[in-house]
Amino acid sequence: MVAQAIRKDEGTIDIAGHILRRFKEGAFILLGALALFLLLAIGSHHPADPGWTRAVNSELIYNKGGLVGAWLADILLHLFGYLAYLFPLMLASLALFVYRGRDKAHPVDYFYLTTRGVGFLMTLILGCGLAWAHMRGNAYLPQDAGGIVGDVTGKLFVSIFNPIGGTLLMLSLFLTGITL
């Protein structure tokens, strides 16, 4: 029996693969645009804009993201302080992750994703605590430098471990979160 080569028709296109690639590109563009919008909104936060903590009856909104940007910036800066700037970075990294994607040969590793998520949360929460403990008194932010999360986290660690011990433990856990 002679082995015969099976010739694929060069005119056929893998439709499912083509659609998946276009979906990944579209998700990359959308998440990238959301990351830029969020960065613009947080960066142009103005205390006179309407938001989560203020009911302002003004048609003039200073935030470059409009009413939605003013609300998002107000919420994120109140909750996380300076660490709110991690959210655009997280969206940009998510965009890159989706764009790179996985194929059937390399399935999604949920343990890896869970570990990365826990690392991000550790970095966010403990970074807020460190900012609260060492960067107080900023007139730009609606809360302290660490936001409400930093206020709770920083006070907890400082009250249990004193300022030096709390800072040392928060810093070590913060750096652990970055490496995860």
Side-chain angles (χ1 to χ4, degrees):
M1 197 171 194
V2 178
Q4 293 182 355
I6 299 174
R7 181 184 243 185
K8 284 191 170 185
D9 185 16
E10 292 182 19
T12 62
I13 299 174
D14 179 21
I15 298 295
H18 180 74
I19 291 173
L20 183 62
R21 277 192 306 277
R22 297 300 170 246
F23 173 74
K24 287 180 181 181
E25 289 172 2
F28 175 74
I29 292 168
L30 180 65
L31 288 170
L34 284 173
L36 287 174
F37 175 78
L38 195 55
L39 181 65
L40 181 71
I42 293 170
S44 64
H45 174 263
H46 193 277
D49 284 341
W52 177 44
T53 57
R54 286 175 302 287
V56 178
N57 228 0
S58 173
E59 292 186 24
L60 180 62
I61 297 176
Y62 297 100
N63 194 298
K64 301 293 183 203
L67 182 62
V68 172
W71 269 80
L72 284 173
D74 194 45
I75 290 170
L76 290 174
L77 289 172
H78 261 89
L79 290 176
F80 305 108
Y82 283 125
L83 277 290
Y85 285 98
L86 281 180
F87 285 94
L89 182 65
M90 180 189 66
L91 279 174
S93 65
L94 181 64
L96 192 59
F97 177 77
V98 168
Y99 182 71
R100 284 185 187 169
R102 300 283 181 215
D103 54 9
K104 292 179 184 177
H106 300 94
V108 176
D109 184 4
Y110 292 106
F111 179 74
Y112 173 77
L113 290 177
T114 303
T115 305
R116 296 292 297 214
V118 168
F120 176 75
L121 288 175
M122 285 176 65
T123 301
L124 180 67
I125 292 168
L126 294 159
C128 288
L130 286 168
W132 173 85
H134 297 286
M135 299 169 58
R136 294 193 186 166
N138 188 334
Y140 166 73
L141 296 173
Q143 277 299 103
D144 277 334
I148 295 171
V149 172
D151 187 41
V152 171
T153 306
K155 282 182 182 176
L156 178 71
F157 275 83
V158 168
S159 68
I160 294 174
F161 301 105
N162 289 330
I164 302 268
T167 297
L168 186 61
L169 187 58
M170 282 191 291
L171 184 61
S172 63
L173 290 171
F174 173 78
L175 293 173
T176 301
I178 288 175
T179 61
L180 291 179

